[in-house]
Amino acid sequence: TVIDQDKLLFIFSALERCCIHANAARKDSRMMYKLYNSGIAAFNHIGDPANARACFDKGLSYVDGAYVDEFIRTRNRLTVSYCDGFLFDKAEEIVRDTIVHAELLRENRSMIFKTEERSDLLYGITQSQCGQVLAYMRDGEAEEHFLKALNEMEKGSANYYISSSYLLHHYIDMND
């Protein structure tokens, strides 16, 4: 509802003022990154892609406070903001680049922990995000990305059902 959106913006604005004040004394990149990362989610939620992207840009100043997997999730949120603004070519560019990062993270985890590559939810979510972008563009390649995503997700999980739903909608849209 509009009231909930107003509350969300009020809370974000108050947190931003507090964090900026606290950061002036402590120089806490982690806190500031998390603030602007939550701002991306908040502005995406209310359909304000320009402010979501502004939060992404501000957050880049504090990226040294981000964990790698967190930054990949942030880039997925950025992709959403471009889709919300109907900038699908830019969304595709961002998400394809994010897939490369997610693949590298997956491979490095396997090397560091001396394990075989396992299913990787973050990689799956990023593949699903790419499928969504391509589905908006009515590109048949979307199916490939949705199937890769489903392969990474636990059957029966919320993410599995969400990606399955996006895939089914893609099939419906492509069959008109």
Side-chain angles (χ1 to χ4, degrees), residues 11-81:
I11 291 168
F12 178 77
S13 176
L15 281 173
E16 185 177 31
R17 285 190 306 274
C18 289
C19 289
I20 288 171
H21 178 71
N23 190 53
R26 293 189 348 200
K27 303 293 183 219
D28 188 343
S29 290
R30 179 96 183 114
M31 174 186 64
M32 295 304 292
Y33 182 82
K34 289 180 77 71
L35 168 73
Y36 289 118
N37 192 27
S38 67
I40 298 167
F43 286 114
N44 277 345
H45 179 73
I46 66 168
D48 187 347
N51 276 320
R53 290 190 300 272
C55 282
F56 178 83
D57 291 340
K58 289 177 184 178
L60 285 178
S61 300
Y62 305 101
V63 76
D64 59 319
Y67 300 127
V68 176
D69 56 338
E70 184 177 41
F71 187 65
I72 290 171
R73 284 191 297 275
T74 301
R75 287 179 59 86
N76 282 335
R77 287 187 183 105
L78 178 65
T79 300
V80 170
S81 75

Side-chain angles (χ1 to χ4, degrees), residues 33-141:
Y33 182 82
K34 289 180 77 71
L35 168 73
Y36 289 118
N37 192 27
S38 67
I40 298 167
F43 286 114
N44 277 345
H45 179 73
I46 66 168
D48 187 347
N51 276 320
R53 290 190 300 272
C55 282
F56 178 83
D57 291 340
K58 289 177 184 178
L60 285 178
S61 300
Y62 305 101
V63 76
D64 59 319
Y67 300 127
V68 176
D69 56 338
E70 184 177 41
F71 187 65
I72 290 171
R73 284 191 297 275
T74 301
R75 287 179 59 86
N76 282 335
R77 287 187 183 105
L78 178 65
T79 300
V80 170
S81 75
Y82 281 110
C83 287
D84 287 352
F86 303 102
L87 300 169
F88 300 117
D89 290 334
K90 185 66 176 173
E92 180 184 8
E93 175 188 326
I94 297 292
V95 77
R96 286 189 186 277
D97 190 47
T98 306
I99 285 174
V100 171
H101 298 305
E103 286 172 342
L104 288 171
L105 179 59
R106 179 184 190 177
E107 292 167 8
N108 284 325
R109 278 187 181 139
S110 178
M111 273 188 345
I112 291 168
F113 298 117
K114 307 277 190 250
T115 59
E116 297 212 7
E117 281 189 21
R118 303 180 280 215
S119 62
D120 184 324
L121 181 59
L122 182 58
Y123 177 74
I125 289 170
T126 304
Q127 286 288 352
S128 182
Q129 184 77 57
C130 187
Q132 292 171 57
V133 171
L134 294 173
Y136 291 139
M137 299 169 76
R138 301 183 59 82
D139 185 325
E141 187 187 339

